[in-house]
Amino acid sequence: MDAHNLSSITYADDTQLYIMMKPKDRGNVLARLEACIRDIKSWMAGNKLMLTDNKSDVLHVTSQFTNKLHLNDINVGSSSVTPSACVRALGVIMDDTLTMSNHVNNICRTASFAIRKIGKLRRYLDQDSAEKLVHAYVTSRLDSCIMLV
């Protein structure tokens, strides 16, 4: 990835590539990105690993205060990947302006669902068990992305 002047983050079997670009450099930058993906795919094949082309996502992040620059599809192996408005990365839903509104809405929805389910069971639970369920299914979701703050 260094050879293509890209930044990356790798976690277990998940790799994220990052690249900054100015509108005038779009063609060159996207060509470098696709070349890097080809090299990664080649390395993986040589090491008996597989990159699943159709599981790849592209998120084009821009300021919410500027006009959105249209980004063409990115070639990932045999697939053509269209940039998404939001993607899930390690459990975090990130949108193309980094407002985190989709992620916050998802956490609120899942926490509310858990609270309703626990509420239906509450009369069968002692205080300690109810607290453990709340911490396991509600608090853990609220704290899951605390490192992003």
Short mmCIF file of all heavy atoms in Angstrom, two decimals, residues 91-130:
data_model
loop_
_atom_site.label_atom_id
_atom_site.label_comp_id
_atom_site.label_asym_id
_atom_site.label_seq_id
_atom_site.Cartn_x
_atom_site.Cartn_y
_atom_site.Cartn_z
N GLY A 91 -18.53 -2.65 12.79
CA GLY A 91 -19.72 -2.37 13.60
C GLY A 91 -20.14 -0.91 13.63
O GLY A 91 -21.17 -0.59 14.22
N VAL A 92 -19.38 -0.04 13.02
CA VAL A 92 -19.71 1.38 13.01
C VAL A 92 -20.26 1.74 11.63
O VAL A 92 -19.66 1.40 10.61
CB VAL A 92 -18.47 2.25 13.31
CG1 VAL A 92 -18.82 3.73 13.25
CG2 VAL A 92 -17.88 1.89 14.66
N ILE A 93 -21.40 2.41 11.60
CA ILE A 93 -21.99 2.85 10.33
C ILE A 93 -21.49 4.27 10.08
O ILE A 93 -21.80 5.19 10.83
CB ILE A 93 -23.52 2.81 10.37
CG1 ILE A 93 -24.00 1.40 10.69
CG2 ILE A 93 -24.10 3.30 9.05
CD1 ILE A 93 -25.49 1.29 10.97
N MET A 94 -20.68 4.40 9.03
CA MET A 94 -20.12 5.70 8.68
C MET A 94 -20.78 6.21 7.41
O MET A 94 -20.98 5.45 6.47
CB MET A 94 -18.61 5.58 8.48
CG MET A 94 -17.93 5.14 9.75
SD MET A 94 -16.13 4.98 9.78
CE MET A 94 -15.55 5.42 8.22
N ASP A 95 -21.14 7.49 7.41
CA ASP A 95 -21.75 8.07 6.22
C ASP A 95 -20.75 8.97 5.51
O ASP A 95 -19.68 9.25 6.02
CB ASP A 95 -23.04 8.83 6.59
CG ASP A 95 -22.78 9.95 7.56
OD1 ASP A 95 -22.39 11.03 7.11
OD2 ASP A 95 -22.98 9.74 8.78
N ASP A 96 -21.13 9.39 4.32
CA ASP A 96 -20.19 10.11 3.45
C ASP A 96 -19.86 11.53 3.89
O ASP A 96 -19.03 12.20 3.27
CB ASP A 96 -20.66 10.08 2.00
CG ASP A 96 -22.04 10.65 1.80
OD1 ASP A 96 -22.64 11.15 2.78
OD2 ASP A 96 -22.53 10.60 0.67
N THR A 97 -20.48 12.02 4.97
CA THR A 97 -20.09 13.32 5.53
C THR A 97 -19.69 13.19 6.99
O THR A 97 -19.49 14.19 7.67
CB THR A 97 -21.24 14.35 5.40
OG1 THR A 97 -22.40 13.82 6.02
CG2 THR A 97 -21.52 14.69 3.94
N LEU A 98 -19.56 11.96 7.46
CA LEU A 98 -19.14 11.65 8.83
C LEU A 98 -20.02 12.31 9.90
O LEU A 98 -19.52 12.69 10.96
CB LEU A 98 -17.67 12.00 9.05
CG LEU A 98 -16.67 11.27 8.16
CD1 LEU A 98 -15.25 11.72 8.47
CD2 LEU A 98 -16.80 9.76 8.30
N THR A 99 -21.32 12.41 9.65
CA THR A 99 -22.22 12.97 10.66
C THR A 99 -22.58 11.93 11.71
O THR A 99 -23.02 12.29 12.80
CB THR A 99 -23.53 13.46 10.02
OG1 THR A 99 -24.21 12.36 9.42
CG2 THR A 99 -23.28 14.57 9.01
N MET A 100 -22.42 10.65 11.40
CA MET A 100 -22.72 9.54 12.29
C MET A 100 -24.21 9.40 12.59
O MET A 100 -24.61 8.64 13.46
CB MET A 100 -21.95 9.65 13.62
CG MET A 100 -20.44 9.69 13.46
SD MET A 100 -19.74 8.18 12.81
CE MET A 100 -19.91 7.10 14.19
N SER A 101 -25.07 10.10 11.86
CA SER A 101 -26.50 10.04 12.14
C SER A 101 -27.07 8.65 11.90
O SER A 101 -27.92 8.18 12.67
CB SER A 101 -27.27 11.09 11.33
OG SER A 101 -27.06 10.89 9.95
N ASN A 102 -26.63 7.95 10.86
CA ASN A 102 -27.11 6.59 10.63
C ASN A 102 -26.70 5.66 11.77
O ASN A 102 -27.47 4.81 12.20
CB ASN A 102 -26.56 6.03 9.31
CG ASN A 102 -27.15 6.71 8.11
OD1 ASN A 102 -28.32 7.02 8.08
ND2 ASN A 102 -26.32 6.98 7.11
N HIS A 103 -25.49 5.83 12.26
CA HIS A 103 -25.01 4.99 13.36
C HIS A 103 -25.79 5.27 14.64
O HIS A 103 -26.21 4.34 15.34
CB HIS A 103 -23.51 5.22 13.58
CG HIS A 103 -22.94 4.32 14.60
ND1 HIS A 103 -22.73 2.98 14.37
CD2 HIS A 103 -22.55 4.54 15.88
CE1 HIS A 103 -22.24 2.42 15.46
NE2 HIS A 103 -22.12 3.35 16.38
N VAL A 104 -25.98 6.54 14.95
CA VAL A 104 -26.73 6.91 16.16
C VAL A 104 -28.16 6.39 16.08
O VAL A 104 -28.68 5.82 17.05
CB VAL A 104 -26.70 8.44 16.37
CG1 VAL A 104 -27.67 8.87 17.46
CG2 VAL A 104 -25.28 8.90 16.68
N ASN A 105 -28.80 6.54 14.92
CA ASN A 105 -30.16 6.03 14.76
C ASN A 105 -30.22 4.52 14.94
O ASN A 105 -31.15 3.99 15.56
CB ASN A 105 -30.73 6.41 13.39
CG ASN A 105 -31.00 7.89 13.27
OD1 ASN A 105 -31.15 8.59 14.27
ND2 ASN A 105 -31.04 8.39 12.06
N ASN A 106 -29.22 3.82 14.41
CA ASN A 106 -29.18 2.37 14.54
C ASN A 106 -29.00 1.95 16.01
O ASN A 106 -29.67 1.03 16.49
CB ASN A 106 -28.06 1.78 13.69
CG ASN A 106 -28.05 0.29 13.72
OD1 ASN A 106 -29.03 -0.36 13.36
ND2 ASN A 106 -26.94 -0.28 14.16
N ILE A 107 -28.12 2.63 16.73
CA ILE A 107 -27.91 2.31 18.15
C ILE A 107 -29.18 2.59 18.94
O ILE A 107 -29.58 1.78 19.79
CB ILE A 107 -26.72 3.10 18.72
CG1 ILE A 107 -25.43 2.49 18.19
CG2 ILE A 107 -26.73 3.10 20.23
CD1 ILE A 107 -24.18 3.14 18.69
N CYS A 108 -29.83 3.70 18.68
CA CYS A 108 -31.08 4.02 19.39
C CYS A 108 -32.15 2.96 19.11
O CYS A 108 -32.86 2.52 20.03
CB CYS A 108 -31.59 5.40 18.99
SG CYS A 108 -30.57 6.75 19.59
N ARG A 109 -32.25 2.53 17.86
CA ARG A 109 -33.24 1.52 17.48
C ARG A 109 -32.96 0.19 18.18
O ARG A 109 -33.85 -0.42 18.77
CB ARG A 109 -33.25 1.36 15.96
CG ARG A 109 -34.30 0.45 15.42
CD ARG A 109 -34.38 0.44 13.88
NE ARG A 109 -33.11 0.49 13.18
CZ ARG A 109 -32.59 1.59 12.61
NH1 ARG A 109 -33.23 2.73 12.65
NH2 ARG A 109 -31.43 1.55 11.99
N THR A 110 -31.71 -0.27 18.15
CA THR A 110 -31.39 -1.56 18.76
C THR A 110 -31.47 -1.51 20.29
O THR A 110 -31.91 -2.46 20.92
CB THR A 110 -30.00 -2.08 18.32
OG1 THR A 110 -29.01 -1.13 18.66
CG2 THR A 110 -29.98 -2.38 16.84
N ALA A 111 -31.07 -0.39 20.89
CA ALA A 111 -31.17 -0.24 22.35
C ALA A 111 -32.64 -0.20 22.78
O ALA A 111 -33.02 -0.84 23.77
CB ALA A 111 -30.43 1.01 22.82
N SER A 112 -33.48 0.51 22.04
CA SER A 112 -34.92 0.55 22.36
C SER A 112 -35.56 -0.82 22.25
O SER A 112 -36.37 -1.21 23.09
CB SER A 112 -35.64 1.53 21.43
OG SER A 112 -35.21 2.84 21.66
N PHE A 113 -35.17 -1.56 21.22
CA PHE A 113 -35.69 -2.91 21.04
C PHE A 113 -35.29 -3.79 22.23
O PHE A 113 -36.11 -4.53 22.78
CB PHE A 113 -35.15 -3.51 19.73
CG PHE A 113 -35.61 -4.90 19.46
CD1 PHE A 113 -36.90 -5.15 19.01
CD2 PHE A 113 -34.75 -5.97 19.66
CE1 PHE A 113 -37.32 -6.44 18.75
CE2 PHE A 113 -35.17 -7.27 19.41
CZ PHE A 113 -36.46 -7.51 18.96
N ALA A 114 -34.03 -3.69 22.66
CA ALA A 114 -33.55 -4.49 23.79
C ALA A 114 -34.29 -4.10 25.08
O ALA A 114 -34.68 -4.98 25.86
CB ALA A 114 -32.05 -4.30 23.96
N ILE A 115 -34.49 -2.81 25.30
CA ILE A 115 -35.20 -2.36 26.50
C ILE A 115 -36.64 -2.88 26.51
O ILE A 115 -37.15 -3.33 27.55
CB ILE A 115 -35.17 -0.82 26.61
CG1 ILE A 115 -33.76 -0.36 26.97
CG2 ILE A 115 -36.18 -0.31 27.63
CD1 ILE A 115 -33.54 1.13 26.90
N ARG A 116 -37.31 -2.86 25.36
CA ARG A 116 -38.68 -3.41 25.28
C ARG A 116 -38.70 -4.89 25.62
O ARG A 116 -39.56 -5.36 26.35
CB ARG A 116 -39.28 -3.16 23.90
CG ARG A 116 -39.82 -1.77 23.70
CD ARG A 116 -40.72 -1.66 22.47
NE ARG A 116 -40.10 -2.13 21.23
CZ ARG A 116 -39.30 -1.42 20.46
NH1 ARG A 116 -39.01 -0.17 20.79
NH2 ARG A 116 -38.81 -1.91 19.34
N LYS A 117 -37.74 -5.65 25.06
CA LYS A 117 -37.68 -7.09 25.33
C LYS A 117 -37.39 -7.37 26.80
O LYS A 117 -38.00 -8.25 27.40
CB LYS A 117 -36.61 -7.76 24.44
CG LYS A 117 -36.96 -7.79 22.99
CD LYS A 117 -38.17 -8.68 22.77
CE LYS A 117 -38.45 -8.83 21.30
NZ LYS A 117 -39.63 -9.60 21.02
N ILE A 118 -36.46 -6.63 27.38
CA ILE A 118 -36.13 -6.80 28.80
C ILE A 118 -37.34 -6.42 29.65
O ILE A 118 -37.64 -7.08 30.65
CB ILE A 118 -34.89 -5.98 29.19
CG1 ILE A 118 -33.65 -6.55 28.47
CG2 ILE A 118 -34.68 -5.97 30.70
CD1 ILE A 118 -32.42 -5.66 28.54
N GLY A 119 -38.05 -5.36 29.24
CA GLY A 119 -39.26 -4.95 29.97
C GLY A 119 -40.32 -6.04 30.02
O GLY A 119 -41.00 -6.21 31.04
N LYS A 120 -40.44 -6.81 28.95
CA LYS A 120 -41.42 -7.91 28.93
C LYS A 120 -41.01 -9.05 29.85
O LYS A 120 -41.87 -9.77 30.36
CB LYS A 120 -41.59 -8.43 27.49
CG LYS A 120 -42.30 -7.45 26.59
CD LYS A 120 -42.49 -8.01 25.20
CE LYS A 120 -43.20 -6.99 24.32
NZ LYS A 120 -43.43 -7.48 22.96
N LEU A 121 -39.72 -9.20 30.07
CA LEU A 121 -39.21 -10.26 30.94
C LEU A 121 -39.02 -9.81 32.39
O LEU A 121 -38.80 -10.63 33.27
CB LEU A 121 -37.85 -10.75 30.43
CG LEU A 121 -37.79 -11.42 29.07
CD1 LEU A 121 -36.35 -11.67 28.68
CD2 LEU A 121 -38.57 -12.72 29.11
N ARG A 122 -39.09 -8.51 32.64
CA ARG A 122 -38.68 -7.94 33.93
C ARG A 122 -39.35 -8.59 35.13
O ARG A 122 -38.71 -8.84 36.15
CB ARG A 122 -38.95 -6.43 33.94
CG ARG A 122 -38.55 -5.73 35.22
CD ARG A 122 -37.05 -5.87 35.46
NE ARG A 122 -36.66 -5.27 36.71
CZ ARG A 122 -36.41 -5.95 37.82
NH1 ARG A 122 -36.52 -7.26 37.85
NH2 ARG A 122 -36.04 -5.33 38.92
N ARG A 123 -40.61 -8.92 35.05
CA ARG A 123 -41.30 -9.48 36.23
C ARG A 123 -40.78 -10.86 36.61
O ARG A 123 -41.01 -11.33 37.71
CB ARG A 123 -42.81 -9.52 36.00
CG ARG A 123 -43.22 -10.41 34.88
CD ARG A 123 -44.72 -10.41 34.69
NE ARG A 123 -44.99 -10.77 33.31
CZ ARG A 123 -46.17 -10.74 32.78
NH1 ARG A 123 -47.20 -10.36 33.51
NH2 ARG A 123 -46.34 -11.08 31.53
N TYR A 124 -40.05 -11.51 35.70
CA TYR A 124 -39.49 -12.83 35.98
C TYR A 124 -38.04 -12.76 36.45
O TYR A 124 -37.44 -13.79 36.75
CB TYR A 124 -39.54 -13.72 34.72
CG TYR A 124 -40.92 -13.85 34.15
CD1 TYR A 124 -41.24 -13.25 32.94
CD2 TYR A 124 -41.92 -14.55 34.82
CE1 TYR A 124 -42.51 -13.35 32.40
CE2 TYR A 124 -43.20 -14.66 34.30
CZ TYR A 124 -43.49 -14.06 33.08
OH TYR A 124 -44.74 -14.16 32.56
N LEU A 125 -37.48 -11.55 36.50
CA LEU A 125 -36.06 -11.38 36.81
C LEU A 125 -35.84 -10.70 38.14
O LEU A 125 -36.61 -9.81 38.52
CB LEU A 125 -35.39 -10.52 35.72
CG LEU A 125 -35.46 -11.01 34.29
CD1 LEU A 125 -34.96 -9.94 33.34
CD2 LEU A 125 -34.65 -12.29 34.13
N ASP A 126 -34.78 -11.08 38.84
CA ASP A 126 -34.40 -10.33 40.03
C ASP A 126 -33.62 -9.09 39.58
O ASP A 126 -33.27 -8.96 38.40
CB ASP A 126 -33.57 -11.19 40.99
CG ASP A 126 -32.29 -11.73 40.39
OD1 ASP A 126 -31.65 -11.00 39.62
OD2 ASP A 126 -31.94 -12.89 40.68
N GLN A 127 -33.35 -8.19 40.50
CA GLN A 127 -32.69 -6.93 40.18
C GLN A 127 -31.32 -7.15 39.51
O GLN A 127 -31.01 -6.52 38.50
CB GLN A 127 -32.52 -6.08 41.46
CG GLN A 127 -31.89 -4.73 41.24
CD GLN A 127 -32.78 -3.76 40.48
OE1 GLN A 127 -34.00 -3.91 40.47
NE2 GLN A 127 -32.18 -2.78 39.84
N ASP A 128 -30.52 -8.05 40.06
CA ASP A 128 -29.19 -8.30 39.54
C ASP A 128 -29.23 -8.82 38.10
O ASP A 128 -28.47 -8.36 37.24
CB ASP A 128 -28.45 -9.29 40.44
CG ASP A 128 -26.99 -9.44 40.05
OD1 ASP A 128 -26.30 -8.41 39.91
OD2 ASP A 128 -26.55 -10.60 39.86
N SER A 129 -30.12 -9.74 37.81
CA SER A 129 -30.25 -10.29 36.45
C SER A 129 -30.72 -9.23 35.47
O SER A 129 -30.24 -9.16 34.33
CB SER A 129 -31.21 -11.48 36.45
OG SER A 129 -30.71 -12.51 37.26
N ALA A 130 -31.67 -8.41 35.89
CA ALA A 130 -32.17 -7.33 35.02
C ALA A 130 -31.05 -6.35 34.69
O ALA A 130 -30.90 -5.93 33.55
CB ALA A 130 -33.34 -6.61 35.69
#
